[in-house]
Structure formats: structure tokens, C-alpha cells
């Protein structure tokens, strides 16, 4: 890549694992990229359920969960980094009256594309009262790439990329998210060769 070309920015994109990517964490995974810059990338795997659901998670942090629509939702394995820590991906929630468009939660990353990712407990406290964001995805852990690492994996044909569709994150059953993300590219999994192409 020449030094005068614009850096790649895949924030608010999906990374879709190619069949040749056999790493247990990322095999057949769809990663939603919350941030991508010259310094690296951070994302959440959106299609790998853990063995606990949100009600179990709330029990562990001593909070009731007064959102029947969420109690059976699985907590996802967001990635191999900080797997004991919760990450909540949700639609943007702004204070009313809007305070400079800032999130009402303490530790929130605003993602261009209309989503936010919150790591502070106040979002769980809001959900426990029956309030909070309507659409949420909760994961333990996240995926991270250092400077240039993701670009190298893309060059090795480990991932396909496509702009994220929030319907895949929030409205699609977990087992269907990989195929639905591929459809955004007009692809089906049978079309992908497990062999990485090298000219």
C-alpha cells in the first residue's frame, strides 16, 4: 500500500470468516467492527453463543432482569480478549433533552452507523429496571487486531468484508447470521472455496 493512499476504515462493517479460517474462535464467525483505524481494530463476534443466557448473567451480577424479551437471549462469545468482561452492543440512546448527542451511559463508544458499544454497568442497570436500549446484544470478550494485523489477514483472504446491517445483528437468529451476512455480498457458503486464492 502506498503511503499516500487513504487508510482502510472498516468501522461498522462485518468481517465474515472465509472457510479456510480454522481458528476455533473465528471459524464461520461474523465480527461486527466497532472501531478500525491505523492503530488497529476492535470488534465483537455476533454469531457464537456462550452457554449462559442474559438471565444467568444478570443473576451473576446481582441484578434482576425485568425485560422478558431478553431473558432467554444467549450471551455471546464476543472474542478471545477480556472474556470475563461484558460488552453491550445496542442502538444509540441519547439523553433527553439531547446533551450534545452524547450517550447516557458512562463508558460508551459511539460507532458511526447508529450503534453504540457500552462497557459500563449502568446499561445493565437500565435493562434490569425494564428500561434501557430496545435492541441489545451482550457479549463476553471482544476481538482485537494490532496495527496492520487485520489488513494482513484481509490480504491473506481470511475474511470477506461488507457494510454492517443491524438487522443481521438484532433481528436474525444467531444460527442464520453467517449465511445472512454472506447474502449481503450476494454469496452463499457453498460458493466459497476453503482454499485461499494465491495468484
Amino acid at each position: 500500500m502506498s503511503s499516500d493512499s487513504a487508510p482502510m476504515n472498516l468501522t461498522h462493517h462485518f468481517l465474515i470468516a472465509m472457510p479456510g479460517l480454522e481458528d476455533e474462535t473465528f471459524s464461520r464467525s461474523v465480527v461486527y467492527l466497532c472501531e478500525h483505524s491505523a492503530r488497529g481494530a476492535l470488534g465483537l463476534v455476533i454469531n457464537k453463543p456462550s452457554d449462559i443466557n442474559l438471565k444467568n448473567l444478570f443473576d451473576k451480577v446481582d441484578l434482576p432482569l425485568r425485560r422478558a424479551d431478553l431473558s432467554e437471549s444467549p450471551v455471546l462469545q464476543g472474542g478471545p480478549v477480556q472474556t470475563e468482561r461484558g460488552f453491550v452492543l445496542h442502538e444509540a440512546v441519547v439523553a433527553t433533552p439531547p446533551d450534545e448527542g452524547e450517550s447516557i451511559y458512562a463508558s460508551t463508544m459511539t460507532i458511526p452507523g447508529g450503534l453504540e458499544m457500552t462497557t459500563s454497568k449502568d446499561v445493565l442497570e437500565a435493562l434490569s429496571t425494564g428500561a434501557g436500549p430496545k435492541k441489545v446484544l451482550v457479549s463476553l470478550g471482544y476481538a482485537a487486531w494490532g496495527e496492520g494485523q487485520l489488513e494482513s489477514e484481509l490480504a491473506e483472504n481470511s475474511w470477506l468484508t461488507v457494510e454492517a446491517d443491524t438487522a443481521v445483528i438484532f433481528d436474525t437468529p444467531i444460527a442464520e447470521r453467517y449465511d445472512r451476512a454472506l447474502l449481503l455480498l450476494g454469496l452463499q457458503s457453498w460458493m466459497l472455496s476453503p482454499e485461499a486464492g494465491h495468484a
Side-chain angles (χ1 to χ4, degrees), residues 85-88 105 107-109 117-123:
R85 200 160 161 217
F87 297 84
V88 183
Y105 304 116
S107 186
T108 295
M109 172 192 295
M117 196 261 292
T118 299
T119 55
S120 48
K121 193 174 177 185
D122 52 358
V123 69

Side-chain angles (χ1 to χ4, degrees), residues 57 82-88 117-120 124 138-141:
L57 179 71
Q82 293 191 359
T83 53
E84 71 297 328
R85 200 160 161 217
F87 297 84
V88 183
M117 196 261 292
T118 299
T119 55
S120 48
L124 298 181
V138 180
S139 77
L140 292 174

Side-chain angles (χ1 to χ4, degrees), residues 12-70:
H12 189 64
H13 279 64
F14 290 141
L15 296 178
I16 306 166
M18 287 290 281
L21 187 60
E22 293 174 356
D23 176 284
E24 190 179 329
T25 305
F26 294 114
S27 171
R28 282 189 60 87
S29 69
V30 180
V31 179
Y32 174 73
L33 282 182
C34 303
E35 184 176 44
H36 183 216
S37 70
R39 296 188 316 272
L42 180 152
L44 299 173
V45 178
I46 64 162
N47 67 329
K48 301 268 180 165
S50 70
D51 52 7
I52 66 169
N53 63 27
L54 280 179
K55 178 158 185 357
N56 303 141
L57 179 71
F58 275 71
D59 289 345
K60 282 186 183 198
V61 295
D62 296 322
L63 287 171
L65 178 55
R66 296 192 178 94
R67 287 277 300 270
D69 59 316
L70 297 177

Side-chain angles (χ1 to χ4, degrees), residues 154-157 195-199:
L154 289 167
E156 292 163 3
N157 290 328
E195 302 302 315
H198 295 288

Side-chain angles (χ1 to χ4, degrees), residues 156-191:
E156 292 163 3
N157 290 328
S158 296
W159 302 97
L160 293 169
T161 63
V162 65
E163 186 165 347
D165 178 350
T166 56
V168 175
I169 301 171
F170 298 119
D171 305 325
T172 303
I174 291 172
E176 296 172 23
R177 289 178 187 169
Y178 184 80
D179 290 331
R180 195 68 63 86
L182 282 174
L183 275 177
L184 296 173
L185 290 165
L187 297 173
Q188 294 179 355
S189 52
W190 62 265
M191 298 173 170

Side-chain angles (χ1 to χ4, degrees), residues 132-151:
K134 191 165 158 15
K135 296 184 181 230
V136 294
L137 176 147
V138 180
S139 77
L140 292 174
Y142 67 94
W145 291 264
E147 184 179 343
Q149 187 180 0
L150 180 56
E151 289 78 359

